Amino acid sequence: MELIDGNEIASAIIEELTERVAEFDKGKPCVAFVRVGEDPASVSYVKKKERTAAKIGIESKLLVFPESISQEALMEEIYQLNDTPDIHGILVQAPLPDHIDAREVFNHVSPAKDVDGFNAVNLGKLCQEDDSAFASCTPAGIVELIKRKGIQTEGKHVVVLGRSLIVGKPAGMLFLRKGSPGNATITYCHSRTPDLKKHTLSADILIAAIGKPHFVTEDMVGSGTTVIDVGINRIPDKTKKSGYRLVGDVDFETVAPKTSFITPVPGGVGPMTVAMLMANTLKAFENSIRSA
Ligand code: GUN
């Protein structure tokens, strides 16, 4: 078993991005973070994104709105960001409150600034295997981990547990692409899939993105599988000052010894999501210079 160290790989990417940003003497990339409400996980994710941007030399602007903001008012803010030339990327932190139509919001972020890749245009381009698309950051981070560890995907069976728009669906599409990494055979599983184990046991690469702590147990994983754990679940832990600890969707203790590669939680996929967001922001900035 080899641990895939997401912190180490994300740090290498951040260093590469820092060098590239330093080369621009006129103007710097700038990303806008939009947060609605005070969900503690969202507050912490956005802080992490702000800190990483600053480290790289990417400017950021944080907009925080109350939970009660109306759809119309939020859309107006998005339109303004779309129209601000010195903002190159826009990230609307999910989840949004129930009364907000999140799809409507994501679809009105300018595709050129949609560094999260949630917009229908970018999702469509991903399907078309158009490299100009912004790929959703967590799936892009997973692919980057696989690539940098030299794990082969050609002809392999990738089983994706979860069908979310943010992770599951685009992750499968990325591994399906013609290219490297890519050319894999994909199985999507979800909460309504009967006999999950039948599928997971035949996986060469298992991507757990189902959002349930310790969902993937030892009996569901064949020996030599590469396991990518996307889950970030807070479970109560009285021994911690915060009162909780983070665990993945995989029961790491029992599953890890059977795997060839596995990502830990924390320190696996999480840091990669942030690194890929920064890479997408730099891409949006470079595109804006090219089209100016
Ligand atoms: N919530 C959970 N993951 C993400 C992400 O990658 N981007 C945004 N905007 N919100 C999220």
Side-chain angles (χ1 to χ4, degrees), residues 22-63:
E23 282 167 18
F24 291 98
D25 46 7
K26 268 192 249 135
K28 291 286 175 208
C30 180
V31 56
F33 299 121
V34 177
R35 174 161 64 74
V36 178
E38 298 298 325
D39 169 57
S42 291
V43 170
S44 136
Y45 292 149
V46 171
K47 259 193 205 137
K48 174 83 188 143
K49 289 168 187 176
E50 283 183 286
R51 275 200 297 265
T52 308
K55 203 165 147 193
I56 296 172
I58 292 176
E59 288 168 5
S60 69
K61 184 176 170 171
L62 173 64
L63 289 91

Side-chain angles (χ1 to χ4, degrees), residues 49 91-94 116 118 138 166 273:
K49 289 168 187 176
L91 176 138
V92 184
Q93 185 67 31
D116 242 340
F118 296 169
T138 301
I166 295 184
T273 299

